[in-house]
Structures are given as C-alpha cells and as structure tokens.
Amino acid sequence: MALLKAQIDQGFDQINVPDEDGYLRVPYDFCKATKRISDCLVRAMIYSFSCVKGRPDARCAMSYSRIQDKLHYSRSTVNAAIHAATENGAFDQDKSNRFRASYKYLQTATDEESGEASASALPSFTVEFYLLHTAFVGKDNKFHYLPKSAALVLGLIKTHYENGGFVGSVRGIALTLGLSPTTVQKAINLLMDLSLIFRPKERRGVNRSRRSAYAVNEKLLRKAERNFKKQLKSKDRSSADDPEDVKIERERYYARLQQAERERVESFERTLNADSRYFALDRRRRQLEIEVAKAEVFMPIRLPELEEELRQVNVDRARQMAQIGISEEDLKPRFLCPKCEDTGYNKSDGRMCDCFPKRRRT
Ligand SMILES: [Zn+2]
C-alpha cells in the first residue's frame, strides 16, 4: 500500500477534459464510499466531466442514455446510481433545463500544485473508455468484455505502471478499489487469461498479502485503443440521424462480425487441409456421408459396411485433428451474441436484436 500511496500522489497532472475516446478519472474516495461498482463509476463520470482543472463552471450534462452507452449499463442501473449520488449532498443536480438535467461534484480537495481548494484535485486513477467497450479473446478462444471490476483493476495497474511494471498485492488492490479480495483475484485471473497482464513467475507473491509484479500487454492494449478510436470515427462520419444510414451501418456491422468469424474458421480449415492425411480422411468422410444417404434408399444391404467405414474414418479424422491441435469445437462458429448469432435478428422471434452497439450521440 505504501508504494501505491506514493504513486497515487503523483497522479495529479493527468487532468484533461475527458472526451469520447478519453478516460474516466476515478477518485479513490469514490471506490471506498460506494458499495456497488455502478455507483462508483457513475459518480466518477459526473466527477470527470464536471471537475475540470481551470473550468470552475463545468457541469456534466450527459443524458442517461449517454451515460448508459459510455459505461455499458442499463437505464435502471444509471438511474439508481444518480439517485444515490445526488442524495448525499456531494453531487448537485440542476433540473432547470427541461430537456436535460446537469450534475456537478461539489466537494473540494486541496490542489497540491497550486495549494488552492479545487474539486479537480481528488486523488484518482484513470479507466479508459475503450477498456469498457472492447471484447478481448480469451484462452478459450471466445470474446469477453471486461467486467467492471476487471476494468477497474486494469485501470489501476495502468495508472501506476512504472518502469515496465506494477507492484501490488491482491489485498492492497482490494482495499484501494473497495472490492473484495476474491473479486480482485478473479479480475486478475481474467486479465491474465485474456493476456492483458502477465505475472513474471519469479516475482509471484506467495499469498494474497504478498505483492506481485504485473506487466501490462501494452501492444495488445494499444491495438484495442486504436480499434476503438477507429470505430468511433467511422460512427462519426455516418450521419446517424438518417434511418437509411443507420440501417446500412447495422448491416455492415453484422456483416463484419460474420466475416471475421468465417475467416477464423477458415484459417483453422486451411491448417487442417494442409495436412495430407487429414485432407484424405476428410474427403473420404464426405464421400461416405453421401454414400450412406444413397444406400439408405437404394441399397440398404450395404449400409452396415458403409456405416462402419464412416465410423472408423471419423475416429481417424478426430485423432488426426488432435495431433494437429485443432478441435471440432474450433470449427464451429462462435457468436458474440447468442440471441441473434450475430445476424442482427433474434433467432426466437425474428425481431431486430438489441446487441447493435448504441449510437454515440443522443
Ligand atoms: Zn444480437
């Protein structure tokens, strides 16, 4: 904790106006004062947009749907968090604009640089928005969005990343973020599984109270950030108010998802087919499937023999695949959204799926 504290104290100069592709400043006090992560993040949102150095009248005037969108939360979660925040007097809510309320964090701290009391001087760490909006691929080859707890842990690690490392204990991180050690441990395990952080073996802590050193996969994160910014830009260019454009944008989005998934499966198939034994077995398997179907109608007497050969070919093919290191599972399509299987239309009722990322401007 001593190390964390020392590093926290240096974090003041990173103050700017958070923008679309920017980041949240999360004051440590908010983490400790809130039971739910959603309460903490919504407060951090109001704080980040209303407490800006050199701009005393800045207010957060984002609509609920904007906040929902930026934090990936439901309306009721945002609603509850804003109510909780404005209840205790630290957050001011101005409803005089009938279209949109605005919010401001009121409490102040002393700015170490200028010695002046300022609300923008609360010790905080940063969580970049792209961390909340990027699906990373895990060891299971599936896409995972970061749970908020993992985004907080990663934000903390990135903020206090010095000389290629972060040193901290699970307990220390848990105390700092107001989370349980179990939650933090889970978050760290997930971040490691997604290859976002590494723990060099020789510096691994002996138990939860011991500190471990973590390295961040900067290359992967830079790539994720670039992709996120690119997506925002392309959304910017499309005039989102034209329903026709929205439709095209939607179709493109799902086409891209499906294309990426096809390419993934195809690359596995290419690897398999490059193996001559697999190639021969797979071809024979497909022939046999046709022959079995034909025999069922025209020559039932040959069925047992053909079925036995097909069974044997399937066994050999599976064995050969295992040798190559590709499973049958790898060849099945995987979907980001199980409801519509990335087609944009729900399998159950054919309606438009709600998994299309929401528009930026509301
Ligand atoms: Zn969907």
Side-chain angles (χ1 to χ4, degrees):
M1 279 309 283
L3 183 67
L4 267 184
K5 182 77 184 74
Q7 289 172 330
I8 287 162
D9 289 340
Q10 296 167 8
F12 285 134
D13 55 346
Q14 292 186 318
I15 292 169
N16 66 357
V17 184
D19 51 31
E20 281 297 337
D21 50 14
Y23 54 83
L24 272 183
R25 284 184 290 138
V26 186
Y28 296 97
D29 285 355
F30 290 9
C31 293
K32 287 173 193 141
T34 48
K35 282 215 175 68
R36 282 175 303 207
I37 295 183
S38 53
D39 284 348
C40 173
L41 286 180
V42 169
R43 280 171 209 208
M45 188 76 115
I46 297 174
Y47 174 76
S48 298
F49 283 75
S50 71
C51 297
V52 182
K53 207 176 190 179
R55 286 186 45 196
D57 359 312
R59 295 185 69 85
C60 173
M62 269 188 276
S63 66
Y64 276 26
S65 49
R66 241 338 246 303
I67 299 176
Q68 276 170 245
D69 200 4
K70 289 179 79 68
L71 294 178
H72 250 205
Y73 276 137
S74 72
R75 190 174 186 83
S76 58
T77 302
V78 171
N79 202 349
I82 286 184
H83 274 289
T86 47
E87 234 170 35
N88 69 6
F91 292 86
D92 166 57
Q93 181 179 34
D94 178 0
K95 283 184 166 170
S96 58
N97 179 327
R98 55 187 277 251
F99 297 107
R100 186 171 298 170
S102 70
Y103 308 89
K104 188 170 184 65
Y105 181 71
L106 298 170
Q107 314 240 314
T108 55
T110 306
D111 190 315
E112 298 213 331
E113 222 175 88
S114 60
E116 282 168 22
S118 153
S120 60
L122 290 184
S124 359
F125 64 101
T126 57
V127 176
E128 286 139 314
F129 285 119
Y130 77 87
L131 296 178
L132 304 176
H133 293 265
T134 305
F136 295 96
V137 182
K139 295 232 158 70
D140 58 3
N141 260 320
K142 290 185 179 139
F143 291 103
H144 301 265
Y145 282 101
L146 293 184
K148 298 298 187 298
S149 53
L152 283 175
V153 170
L154 184 54
L156 186 75
I157 290 179
K158 286 176 95 257
T159 305
H160 299 291
Y161 201 61
E162 272 177 2
N163 307 322
F166 167 92
V167 180
S169 66
V170 168
R171 252 175 233 290
I173 296 172
L175 277 172
T176 307
L177 296 179
L179 300 172
S180 76
T182 315
T183 304
V184 171
Q185 187 65 62
K186 268 194 198 158
I188 286 177
N189 292 347
L190 176 67
L191 292 171
M192 290 202 286
D193 185 62
L194 301 179
S195 308
L196 289 167
I197 60 170
F198 305 104
R199 189 167 53 190
K201 276 221 170 57
E202 66 275 15
R203 296 179 69 185
R204 196 182 153 161
V206 177
N207 60 46
R208 282 179 171 181
S209 306
R210 297 289 182 88
R211 290 192 191 143
S212 290
Y214 298 95
V216 169
N217 189 341
E218 295 178 70
K219 203 172 147 196
L220 178 61
L221 287 168
R222 267 200 303 274
K223 199 174 138 199
E225 187 172 16
R226 266 202 310 274
N227 277 348
F228 177 68
K229 287 182 178 172
K230 225 191 282 170
Q231 271 179 23
L232 286 185
K233 263 195 203 130
S234 73
K235 277 189 198 171
D236 233 1
R237 271 200 300 275
S238 73
S239 68
D241 291 331
D242 185 339
E244 201 52 37
D245 280 353
V246 174
K247 202 177 135 206
I248 291 169
E249 196 53 38
R250 236 184 102 89
E251 279 165 10
R252 269 198 207 131
Y253 169 78
Y254 289 109
R256 267 200 303 271
L257 281 187
Q258 291 170 23
Q259 174 70 17
E261 185 48 27
R262 264 198 304 278
E263 281 170 8
R264 185 189 65 77
V265 172
E266 279 167 14
S267 90
F268 278 124
E269 285 171 347
R270 265 199 303 279
T271 308
L272 286 171
N273 286 331
D275 181 271
S276 57
R277 180 162 160 74
Y278 172 86
F279 186 78
L281 285 166
D282 194 51
R283 191 168 53 183
R284 184 67 192 137
R285 176 180 69 100
R286 275 179 281 127
Q287 284 170 349
L288 280 166
E289 276 172 352
I290 296 167
E291 283 176 37
V292 165
K294 276 191 194 160
E296 271 170 0
V297 183
F298 301 111
M299 246 203 284
I301 190 136
R302 282 198 63 208
L303 257 186
E305 172 206 336
L306 287 170
E307 279 173 341
E308 173 53 26
E309 192 188 347
L310 178 58
R311 195 194 60 79
Q312 190 55 51
V313 165
N314 275 330
V315 170
D316 293 346
R317 177 176 168 276
R319 202 169 288 152
Q320 192 62 16
M321 283 176 76
Q323 201 144 58
I324 299 168
I326 292 175
S327 70
E328 200 65 62
E329 247 352 86
D330 292 328
L331 299 179
K332 287 186 190 148
R334 291 172 190 144
F335 305 112
L336 265 185
C337 173
K339 283 187 289 182
C340 71
E341 300 189 344
D342 301 348
T343 61
Y345 297 95
N346 283 338
K347 291 279 155 191
S348 55
D349 56 9
R351 285 175 186 231
M352 277 207 210
C353 193
D354 57 10
C355 68
F356 182 60
K358 290 194 188 73
R359 277 156 35 193
R360 287 171 56 199
R361 315 226 175 266
T362 48

